Each structure stands twice: as structure tokens, then as C-alpha cells.
Amino acid sequence: MDSLSIPGPIQKFFSIFPLDVLPDQLASATPPFPTLWIRPPASKLSNQSRDVVCLKWQAYLVLRGVRGVQLRWDISDDGAINGRLPSLHLPNGDLLGSGRLPSWADDVQGSNVDPLEGFKNTDLKHESRAWASLLDRNIQAALPQNSENLSRLFQPPLPPLSGISNPLPPFGSHIPSSSILLQYREAIDSVAVRLDQDEWFLGSASPTFLDALLYAYLHCALQGPESLSNEILKRENLVNWEHKVSEMMESAYQ
């Protein structure tokens, strides 16, 4: 008897549960519109990723004025460039990693490379690096989910201290220590004071990468535990600013 044959009673049992063959996920099918692959939103009522890195790039495209981008969150990180979402799938079949999104947005907008990156002068451009480092050090540590390094996502790259730097994937519950919460509160307070009533951070005439980064952190913190969200809710200007950008996000991605 063939050693691999299945006894009759077992075959009869398996016949009760027929094998359904599902079609392969068409992640590689050419999309009709530019499509940003992201990690899923926290709620079915939102189109904004719960992952701070994906959300940062969602916000970046919206704040750059890029429209007509569709979203997918049914693709795992394994299908993304460098094994990390987000990635942008274009109608011509190209798949771009997040590091190529700024240059793609420039092409879409017909923009030239701005040496000041949208800031009013060189001093503010340098100051933006310090704020990015502060956000990455003092806010990301308090978030329920840590994400991977952000420094490689910017063009040009941020200084070594900038970027979400925890190389380990999140697991279990995350309860910030008192020292982490103190640093978080101080960072939120500093951001609120510096933003004041400006339309965009550091008084820029239009949004910059720093606004996208700040929005991602504020939005994720507001979805987090009360110890995080309450610190933002105490500052009316941060609440109003986050709400303004969130409305832009929800309307841009339909």
C-alpha cells in the first residue's frame, strides 16, 4: 500500500470540509491610481494608519498638496520595499519605498528642490532638525507602539539622533515610566509654546516635513491612553491644529 495514501474513514471525514482555493492577493496588479500601502487604521471609521511612520507619510503627501492617492491596508510589510510599509504603487507598475516619496511629490507638483525645505531661512531649517529630534526622543518613547527608524525616510537625512530608533518590534503592554511621561509632558508643552497660533510649525508659510511628523505624533498620542492624550487636550492650540490637519487627511483620502 502506498505509504502516502489516506485511509478511507479519514478521507470521508475530510470530505465534510472541502478545500476552498482562494485567488492570490493581487498586490502586484497595476492600480488605476497611485496607491499608498499602509498599516491598517485603528478604526473602521478612519482612513488614517495607526502606525506613526505610515501616518507621517500619509500626512506628508496631503500637506504637500498631492491628491488622488488611494489607500490599501490589506498588504503586509513583506510586500513592501525593504520589508517596511508604507510603499507607493504607481499606475506604471513602479513600487516606491517611502524614501522616494519626496522626489515623487516634487515631480507630481512640478517643484524644484528647495534648499530651505520650506522654511523661511537657514536658521529655521536647522532648528527644525532639533525639533524633529525632540519629537522622536521624548514623544515616541511614550507611545503605546514603537516604530522603526524614521531618519532614513527624510531627504536629505536627519541627524543621527533624529528618527524613531527602537530596533525591536513592539510586544505586550507598554506602560511609560514616570521619567518618560515627564519628558513627554515637557516636549508637548514646548511644542505648544513654539507653535503658538501659527498656521504651520516654525512659522512656515506652507507645511513642511516637520508638520507631517508633528501631526503623526499628536494624532497617535491622542488615540493613546489618557496619560498621553490629556497632555494634548490641555493645550487648545495643539487640539485645534491637530483637528485642522486631521480634517485635511480624512477629506484627501476617500
Side-chain angles (χ1 to χ4, degrees), residues 4 19 22 32 47 58 70 79 97 104 131 136 160 172 174 176 180 193 202 211 218 226:
L4 297 180
L19 177 64
L22 300 176
N47 56 25
Q58 277 188 268
Q70 304 296 310
W104 178 79
W131 282 105
D136 289 338
H174 176 76
I180 288 176
V193 171
L202 301 188
D211 293 289
L218 292 180
E226 290 185 358

Side-chain angles (χ1 to χ4, degrees), residues 54-75:
C54 291
L55 185 59
K56 180 260 178 181
W57 285 111
Q58 277 188 268
Y60 177 84
L61 293 179
V62 170
L63 295 178
R64 282 292 308 270
V66 177
R67 297 294 184 268
V69 175
Q70 304 296 310
L71 298 174
R72 284 189 68 171
W73 49 77
D74 59 338
I75 298 175

Side-chain angles (χ1 to χ4, degrees), residues 86-228:
S87 288
L88 182 69
H89 199 187
L90 299 178
N92 65 3
D94 288 348
L95 187 63
L96 307 183
S98 53
R100 294 177 61 187
L101 293 184
S103 60
W104 178 79
D106 286 339
D107 291 340
V108 170
Q109 300 292 70
S111 304
N112 296 321
V113 176
D114 178 10
L116 293 178
E117 300 175 13
F119 299 103
K120 292 180 177 179
N121 54 53
T122 302
D123 288 342
L124 289 174
K125 176 184 173 181
H126 292 161
E127 184 182 346
S128 74
R129 300 302 199 254
W131 282 105
S133 294
L134 176 70
L135 294 173
D136 289 338
R137 288 197 312 267
N138 293 9
I139 294 184
Q140 73 91 9
L143 293 180
Q145 298 183 28
N146 289 325
S147 298
E148 296 173 9
N149 198 303
L150 269 178
S151 60
R152 59 186 173 83
L153 303 182
F154 291 103
Q155 296 292 332
L158 295 177
L161 287 179
S162 297
I164 294 174
S165 56
N166 188 345
L168 300 177
F171 62 93
S173 60
H174 176 76
I175 303 176
S177 66
S178 57
S179 61
I180 288 176
L181 285 176
L182 177 60
Q183 291 177 344
Y184 171 82
R185 294 189 191 104
E186 292 175 344
I188 292 297
D189 185 60
S190 297
V191 168
V193 171
R194 187 64 176 91
L195 177 63
D196 196 23
Q197 299 303 315
D198 289 341
E199 183 176 8
W200 303 111
F201 206 60
L202 301 188
S204 299
S206 58
T208 68
F209 77 85
L210 189 58
D211 293 289
L213 183 62
L214 175 60
Y215 173 74
Y217 279 125
L218 292 180
H219 185 82
C220 288
L222 282 170
Q223 311 308 310
E226 290 185 358
S227 59
L228 304 183

Side-chain angles (χ1 to χ4, degrees), residues 17 51 73 169 238 245:
F17 309 99
D51 176 74
W73 49 77
L238 293 186
V245 180

